[in-house]
Amino acid sequence: MSELEKQYRVKAGARLKLADYDPADKSQTANDKAARNAQVAALAPQLDALQDLLYAEGKRKVLVVLQGMDTSGKDGTIRKVFQNVDPLGVRVQAFKAPTETELAHDYLWRIHQVVPRNGELVIFNRSHYEDVLVTRVKGWIDQAETERRIGHINDFERLLSETGTTIIKFFLHISKDEQRKRLQERIDNADKNWKFNPGDLEDRKLWDAFQAQYESVIAATSSVAAPWYIIPADSKSSRNQLILEILINRLSALGMQYPQVDTRDWPKTVE
């Protein structure tokens, strides 16, 4: 495991305090925004090559989970980190409020239908973790049900891992002040008005409750097979560089290989 991963990875079974993680930390990236963007541009082809290898090999699956408070940058991460990746083998799955059909099943039913298949990299924009975060903070489920669901999620991710899925989970960690700035920008900037949801202001009032619940849930679900990484996200360019480097490290470690093809009977030239 690289030093970069060690710094931001949550150890299995460890207690977690988000206050111990600086949302503005740039210790593993350049202090200059232009340099960070240049590094992302330089690294992006490596992720593209690894995704091509994943798709060609067709034996493994990769699930990337993005979670965070409102405005933490889930959409921006997808746009920037995966901008060079061939869309043929990548799929983004966003999760909103469950539909009537989804509510008629267990809460993991809609999740299991969209996990990656062989050779595919899937990015969850929000995820099954909403069912132990917002549901608990808003009081829709009690603590006993929350603990049952955390058990379900650990078992579900163990099932995915043991059947060939590499799971990489990122919590995009922003400060309350940075969220205020980004929400204000959505109000002030006409091009971003469509992103503003008045309900985000109600959730902002529950900031401390959400932070505490994230701490509890991440600590209970960061495992060897499905680790969480706390990514400082006040700086968008630093966030992108860190996630990109971690993804490259994790995918490189899989030891993927292109399929071996018997070419002995092939013609030497094409007429």
Side-chain angles (χ1 to χ4, degrees):
M1 185 188 305
S2 68
E3 290 302 316
L4 177 72
E5 287 186 71
K6 288 180 182 178
Q7 180 165 338
Y8 300 109
R9 182 167 172 157
V10 178
K11 293 181 181 179
R15 294 177 63 86
L16 174 66
K17 280 293 182 184
L18 288 175
D20 295 337
Y21 293 81
D22 180 5
D25 172 44
K26 299 185 183 73
S27 62
Q28 295 292 333
T29 62
N31 287 326
D32 179 68
K33 179 179 178 181
R36 292 192 295 270
N37 286 336
Q39 182 70 355
V40 168
L43 289 171
Q46 293 185 42
L47 182 61
D48 179 43
L50 287 163
Q51 183 275 322
D52 184 69
L53 192 53
L54 173 75
Y55 183 78
E57 187 187 53
K59 294 180 179 179
R60 310 167 207 253
K61 319 162 185 88
V62 175
L63 175 61
V64 176
V65 174
L66 299 179
Q67 284 285 158
M69 300 291 287
D70 295 324
T71 77
S72 60
K74 296 176 286 294
D75 292 344
T77 296
I78 294 168
R79 282 195 303 271
K80 294 297 184 179
V81 172
F82 298 93
Q83 60 183 313
N84 280 36
V85 176
D86 186 345
L88 187 63
V90 174
R91 174 165 49 87
V92 177
Q93 183 66 48
F95 292 95
K96 299 187 181 297
T99 65
E100 183 178 347
T101 298
E102 290 167 346
L103 287 171
H105 295 81
D106 69 86
Y107 68 97
L108 287 174
W109 177 79
R110 67 173 180 162
I111 309 297
H112 210 159
Q113 292 187 89
V114 293
V115 296
R117 64 183 185 179
N118 286 340
E120 191 176 38
L121 187 155
V122 171
I123 307 156
F124 278 4
N125 185 336
R126 300 188 187 272
S127 67
H128 41 299
Y129 283 96
E130 294 296 301
D131 289 294
V132 288
L133 289 164
V134 64
T135 52
R136 181 67 187 114
V137 172
K138 297 291 184 70
W140 300 337
I141 61 174
D142 61 17
Q143 185 59 28
E145 176 61 18
T146 302
E147 292 174 4
R148 279 193 293 271
R149 290 187 178 190
I150 286 174
H152 299 158
I153 287 171
N154 281 329
D155 288 342
F156 174 62
E157 292 181 346
R158 181 170 56 83
L159 166 66
L160 295 181
S161 175
E162 291 178 356
T163 53
T165 301
T166 295
I167 305 169
I168 310 168
K169 301 179 295 193
F170 296 107
F171 174 69
L172 309 184
H173 185 32
I174 62 170
S175 63
K176 190 175 184 180
D177 187 54
E178 180 63 23
Q179 187 195 57
R180 180 192 60 77
K181 294 176 183 177
R182 294 182 186 183
L183 287 172
Q184 189 66 50
E185 186 177 12
R186 291 181 179 183
I187 293 172
D188 295 340
N189 189 333
D191 292 338
K192 295 188 176 183
N193 287 168
W194 65 274
K195 287 187 172 183
F196 181 71
N197 179 354
D200 293 344
L201 299 182
E202 295 303 312
D203 286 349
R204 181 170 165 78
K205 295 175 183 177
L206 299 171
W207 177 274
D208 291 342
F210 270 109
Q211 294 286 294
Q213 188 62 11
Y214 264 114
E215 289 174 347
S216 175
V217 168
I218 290 173
T221 59
S222 192
S223 64
V224 173
W228 278 102
Y229 296 88
I230 309 295
I231 303 297
D234 274 7
S235 164
K236 298 175 184 178
S237 55
S238 182
R239 173 202 71 201
N240 296 337
Q241 182 182 336
L242 290 172
I243 291 176
L244 185 53
E245 291 191 13
I246 290 170
L247 287 174
I248 289 171
N249 289 343
R250 291 293 307 277
L251 295 185
S252 297
L254 295 179
M256 297 179 289
Q257 297 181 353
Y258 284 107
Q260 296 298 306
V261 179
D262 186 351
T263 64
R264 288 175 294 180
D265 296 330
W266 287 18
K268 299 301 181 183
T269 59
V270 177
E271 300 296 335

